[in-house]
């Protein structure tokens, strides 16, 4: 679910990212500010917003793709963004409509033949370079045509649920004195989660793609609870070569090897007893080449972390909602703390901290 908070002021919009020619109206022979990669793309008149849209066509051949690519956008490493757009399948079947940045692709396998609103959440990798900061919309191995229109992009803030004073995000849960985190690769959170401390690889829903030197770091902290024991479980669903090195740490600085995974498999790793008990535990996954195999190429389909806590703080299931702040007030900052239960008929209380450092009087109306 996506919540949107607008601060109704005369200030310029701060959260929105300007996507040049977002509804594809500008241009002469092709949409201005967009470039076609591949041979089969068109600028069409069948639009849902304005008079123009973009389309790509495929013949279903294996490995074929075509897409429209935006100009470079001012995206920031480590920032979370909300991307919305409209899409439809004009004709044909099979393959995958591809959408979003190349480092966080979302396939729309169930695309309708009618225009429908789509929303994607993505985190920019901490290692992404300027040449990766663009959007793309197209097709992969489709036999037929797909179309896109009305692109919008905003910086987003994740808001985590709170139960018994403990914040938990999507994929986290506490039952008794047991804590579990299953990385939410399958849902809207995609490549974002509360424990994620560093992202150094690409994502192609629903998996993380590892090559040599790709790495991901998770930091597991459960309020003031102490972790008495802990284990990690990895699932590699696609493998061509290399391995993933699994390391653990109590401070995010000194690392201890827990093991490696070298094949398509699910494998568990125990956190070394020397690091326990601990308030926080860090896990680093690093892709690297391995002698005797092809260059590192594998996909992480699952990451799970289990810990036994020193107390039972109360059963809870975490969730994450994303907020796009659409406006700003000069000399003011907004920290959104939560929405309560955010469920119909439940305890829905919006809580935020507004700090104003200006000298002149300021009136703000939140909507």
């Amino acid at each position: 679910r996506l919540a949107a908070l607008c601060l109704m002021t005369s200030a310029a919009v701060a959260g929105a990212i300007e996507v040049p020619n977002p509804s594809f109206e500008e241009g002469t022979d092709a949409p201005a500010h967009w470039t076609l990669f591949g041979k089969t793309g068109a600028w069409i008149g069948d639009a849902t917003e304005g008079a123009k849209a973009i389309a790509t066509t495929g013949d279903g051949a294996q490995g074929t793709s075509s897409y429209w690519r935006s100009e470079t956008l001012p995206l920031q490493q480590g920032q979370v963004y909300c991307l919305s757009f409209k899409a439809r399948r004009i004709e044909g079947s099979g393959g995958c409509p591809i959408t979003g940045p190349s480092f966080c692709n979302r396939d729309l396998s169930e695309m309708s033949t009618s225009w429908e609103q789509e929303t994607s959440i993505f985190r920019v990798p901490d290692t992404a370079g300027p040449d990766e900061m663009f959007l793309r919309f197209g097709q992969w191995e489709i036999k037929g045509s797909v179309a896109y229109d009305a692109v919008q992009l905003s910086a987003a803030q994740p808001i985590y649920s709170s139960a018994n004073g403990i914040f938990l995000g999507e994929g986290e849960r506490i039952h008794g004195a047991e804590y579990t985190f299953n990385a939410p690769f399958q849902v809207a959170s995609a490549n974002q989660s509360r424990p994620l401390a560093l992202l150094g690889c690409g994502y192609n829903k629903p998996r993380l793609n590892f090559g040599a030197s790709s790495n991901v770091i998770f930091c597991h902290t459960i309020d003031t609870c102490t972790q008495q024991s802990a284990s990690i479980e990895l699932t590699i669903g696609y493998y061509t070569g290399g391995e993933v090195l699994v390391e653990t740490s109590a401070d995010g600085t000194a690392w201890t090897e827990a093991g490696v995974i070298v094949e398509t498999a699910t494998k568990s790793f125990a956190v070394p007893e020397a690091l326990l008990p601990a308030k926080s535990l860090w896990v680093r996954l690093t892709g690297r080449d391995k002698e005797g195999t092809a260059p590192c190429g594998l996909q992480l389909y699952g990451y799970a972390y289990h810990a036994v806590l020193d107390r039972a703080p109360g059963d809870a299931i975490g969730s994450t909602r994303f907020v796009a702040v659409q406006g700003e007030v000069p000399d003011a900052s907004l920290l959104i703390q939560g929405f309560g239960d955010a469920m119909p008929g439940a305890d829905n209380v919006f809580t935020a901290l507004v700090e104003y450092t200006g000298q002149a009087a300021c009136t703000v109306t939140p909507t």
Side-chain angles (χ1 to χ4, degrees), residues 108-159:
L108 299 178
S109 301
E110 303 301 322
M111 182 182 283
S112 169
T113 55
S114 301
W115 285 108
E116 290 190 351
Q117 184 75 42
E118 300 288 346
T119 300
S120 297
I121 301 294
F122 64 86
R123 171 175 167 164
V124 179
D126 299 85
T127 54
D131 58 341
E132 299 175 77
M133 306 301 192
F134 62 86
L135 300 176
R136 61 177 188 168
F137 297 93
Q139 61 82 26
W140 179 78
E141 295 188 358
I142 283 180
K143 188 172 185 178
S145 301
V146 291
Y148 304 92
D149 201 0
V151 178
Q152 292 182 311
L153 182 65
S154 293
Q157 177 188 344
I159 306 296

Side-chain angles (χ1 to χ4, degrees), residues 34-302:
W34 292 81
T35 303
L36 177 65
F37 284 74
K39 299 179 180 179
T40 53
W43 193 28
I44 63 175
D46 174 17
T48 182
E49 182 177 291
K52 292 287 188 177
I54 55 171
T56 56
T57 302
D59 60 8
Q62 184 176 2
T64 57
S65 175
S66 57
Y67 59 89
W68 289 95
R69 170 178 162 169
S70 75
E71 294 181 344
T72 299
L73 301 175
L75 305 181
Q76 301 297 317
Q77 293 178 340
Q79 174 64 50
V80 179
Y81 292 91
C82 171
L83 172 65
S84 66
F85 56 93
K86 293 185 179 179
R88 68 177 291 254
R89 187 184 289 269
I90 298 175
E91 61 179 356
S93 60
C96 297
I98 55 177
T99 67
S102 59
F103 54 73
C104 189
N105 177 65
R106 178 187 170 208
D107 296 333
L108 299 178
S109 301
E110 303 301 322
M111 182 182 283
S112 169
T113 55
S114 301
W115 285 108
E116 290 190 351
Q117 184 75 42
E118 300 288 346
T119 300
S120 297
I121 301 294
F122 64 86
R123 171 175 167 164
V124 179
D126 299 85
T127 54
D131 58 341
E132 299 175 77
M133 306 301 192
F134 62 86
L135 300 176
R136 61 177 188 168
F137 297 93
Q139 61 82 26
W140 179 78
E141 295 188 358
I142 283 180
K143 188 172 185 178
S145 301
V146 291
Y148 304 92
D149 201 0
V151 178
Q152 292 182 311
L153 182 65
S154 293
Q157 177 188 344
I159 306 296
Y160 305 118
S161 62
S162 175
N164 307 310
I166 298 177
F167 287 96
L168 298 174
E170 194 72 37
E172 296 181 277
R173 68 182 302 160
I174 295 174
H175 180 68
E178 295 184 359
Y179 166 84
T180 301
F181 169 68
N182 283 289
F185 298 153
Q186 299 275 0
V187 297
S189 297
N191 67 344
Q192 187 279 337
S193 64
R194 190 187 72 89
L196 183 64
L198 183 142
L199 179 65
C201 67
Y203 169 88
N204 186 7
K205 190 174 183 178
R207 58 229 177 226
L208 294 178
N209 297 329
F210 277 74
S213 299
S214 295
N215 65 349
V216 176
I217 298 177
F218 294 96
C219 178
H220 299 283
T221 304
I222 305 93
D223 194 53
T224 59
C225 296
T226 297
Q227 300 175 53
Q228 305 288 74
S229 64
S231 63
I232 306 146
E233 183 178 279
L234 303 183
T235 298
I236 302 298
Y238 176 82
Y239 175 87
T240 60
E243 65 184 7
V244 171
L245 170 66
V246 183
E247 298 171 288
T248 56
S249 172
D251 59 8
T253 302
W255 296 93
T256 301
E257 181 174 340
V260 296
I261 184 167
V262 193
E263 59 187 344
T264 302
T266 296
K267 188 174 180 180
S268 295
F269 305 85
V271 172
E273 292 184 1
L275 300 179
L276 299 161
K279 295 290 186 182
S280 297
L281 280 167
W282 302 67
V283 178
R284 180 167 68 183
L285 311 177
T286 304
R288 62 184 187 182
D289 293 334
K290 179 177 174 57
E291 186 176 352
T293 73
C296 183
L298 50 90
Q299 296 177 347
L300 183 69
Y301 277 56

